[in-house]
Amino acid sequence: MWCYCRLVYMPMSYLYGKRFVGPITPLILSLREELYVQPYESVKWKQVRHLCAEEDLYYPHSLIQDFLWDSLYLMSEPLLTRWPFNQLVRKKALEVTMKHIHYEDENSRYITIGCVEKVLCMLSCWVEDPDGVAFKRHLARVPDYLWVGEDGMKVQSFGSQLWDATFGFQALYTSELGEEIKPTLAKAFDFIKKSQVLNHEFNPIIFLFFSCYNLVALTDQNELQICSRLWIIQQVTSWACIVTFLKDHGLSLIRIMAGNFLIVQPKL
């Protein structure tokens, strides 16, 4: 499953499995009034389970798909909330889900993979233990997403500094600016070099979630988001390798064709 999708639905499934409901505040009541076209209390949730705006329905659901989803909701869900299934199945599933959440949190030093995932994982940790270490560590990394712009507070989606730096390096290197941009290229290459993950603290729990792990690679965002094989982006690592080739061998261009490196010598 796509990483962003998995990291959204994983904490969402935990919150749903715990039947978590936050306090109903005036802000919540105001949002309900603003977002729904009818009074929130009058919404028949069973009847609108498959309701979707036409603009958002990229692929219509089949009858089999709707039947399976309704069966899970109407038949499986009542069983899983009652003894003994709530202890044998649901409790175990929630424990495993929380292990995955903690793993991803520790893996990224509680930055997670994006702002939406950050909020959901942090909320899940709070639901598990409001006074727990995991939630406190999440709070400490909230400022990493916040910054003040000209028009107020903003939230970053996710960083792609290394990705951008490698493309920028190649564009500048292949230009005709020459000596004029040497200091800029040197700083860019230093940033790329410092972004490399050179070590990996061994953690036996990794084998519960991944078949292997990397010891040396480069990440999409920053060096703190290491350890997980998922967040080590192959494209970013390959582009950074290309930048290294350009710097060390004076090549004007390296193209990737059919999965192989095609080295083009500079014109004399």
Side-chain angles (χ1 to χ4, degrees):
M1 182 182 289
W2 190 39
C3 58
Y4 293 101
C5 185
R6 181 171 65 87
L7 260 295
V8 166
Y9 284 112
M10 188 164 60
M12 283 180 63
S13 65
Y14 179 82
L15 296 172
Y16 178 81
K18 294 287 288 187
R19 290 296 190 273
F20 170 73
V21 178
I24 307 301
T25 63
L27 176 61
I28 297 298
L29 295 176
S30 177
L31 288 173
R32 287 179 176 179
E33 183 178 352
E34 177 183 345
L35 296 174
Y36 292 90
V37 297
Q38 64 186 91
Y40 180 84
E41 296 76 13
S42 65
V43 177
K44 305 295 183 182
W45 294 106
K46 291 183 180 180
Q47 298 177 9
V48 298
R49 281 178 49 80
H50 305 299
L51 185 63
C52 182
E54 183 178 351
E55 297 82 1
D56 297 329
L57 192 60
Y58 293 102
Y59 188 83
H61 300 163
S62 65
L63 292 176
I64 296 178
Q65 185 177 5
D66 287 343
F67 173 77
L68 291 174
W69 285 2
D70 289 339
S71 298
L72 289 173
Y73 176 72
L74 297 173
M75 298 171 59
S76 301
E77 193 60 22
L79 290 175
L80 294 176
T81 56
R82 290 175 173 79
W83 189 89
F85 299 104
N86 59 350
Q87 295 295 319
L88 297 177
V89 180
R90 171 142 296 183
K91 183 179 179 181
K92 180 64 175 177
L94 291 173
E95 291 174 353
V96 172
T97 302
M98 203 64 216
K99 285 182 180 179
H100 279 268
I101 293 173
H102 285 317
Y103 174 79
E104 299 293 351
D105 289 343
E106 295 171 5
N107 208 24
S108 62
R109 307 299 191 267
Y110 294 87
I111 298 177
T112 70
I113 196 175
C115 60
V116 175
E117 296 83 351
K118 165 72 174 177
V119 172
L120 291 172
C121 289
M122 182 167 62
L123 180 59
S124 298
C125 291
W126 182 82
V127 171
E128 182 193 35
D129 185 2
D131 299 318
V133 175
F135 177 66
K136 294 177 181 178
R137 289 177 176 173
H138 260 296
L139 287 177
R141 301 314 301 266
V142 169
D144 288 85
Y145 280 99
L146 302 178
W147 62 285
V148 179
E150 295 179 353
D151 54 347
M153 179 72 74
K154 299 180 183 294
V155 178
Q156 300 183 81
S157 175
F158 59 88
S160 59
Q161 296 91 340
L162 181 59
W163 185 290
D164 299 335
T166 56
F167 281 119
F169 184 100
Q170 293 173 80
L172 291 173
Y173 188 90
T174 55
S175 69
E176 298 179 356
L177 296 177
E179 296 293 328
E180 183 180 345
I181 60 170
K182 264 192 174 182
T184 302
L185 293 178
K187 291 180 180 179
F189 185 78
D190 184 64
F191 173 77
I192 294 169
K193 184 172 65 174
K194 289 179 178 178
S195 298
Q196 187 174 9
V197 180
L198 298 176
N199 55 57
H200 187 315
E201 296 180 6
F202 178 76
N203 186 351
I205 199 173
I206 198 170
F207 293 106
L208 295 176
F209 310 114
F210 298 101
S211 58
C212 65
Y213 62 94
N214 293 75
L215 294 177
V216 180
L218 293 113
T219 64
D220 182 31
Q221 301 178 21
N222 55 60
E223 192 272 336
L224 288 175
Q225 290 177 312
I226 62 174
C227 305
S228 170
R229 180 171 64 92
L230 183 60
W231 310 147
I232 295 172
I233 310 299
Q234 293 93 331
Q235 294 97 323
V236 177
T237 303
S238 63
W239 285 121
C241 289
I242 290 174
V243 168
T244 303
F245 278 133
L246 287 171
K247 175 180 177 294
D248 293 343
H249 300 288
L251 304 178
S252 63
L253 181 63
I254 295 180
R255 298 173 183 166
I256 299 178
M257 299 181 62
N260 299 316
F261 287 110
L262 174 63
I263 302 176
V264 181
Q265 296 290 348
K267 295 181 180 180
L268 300 177

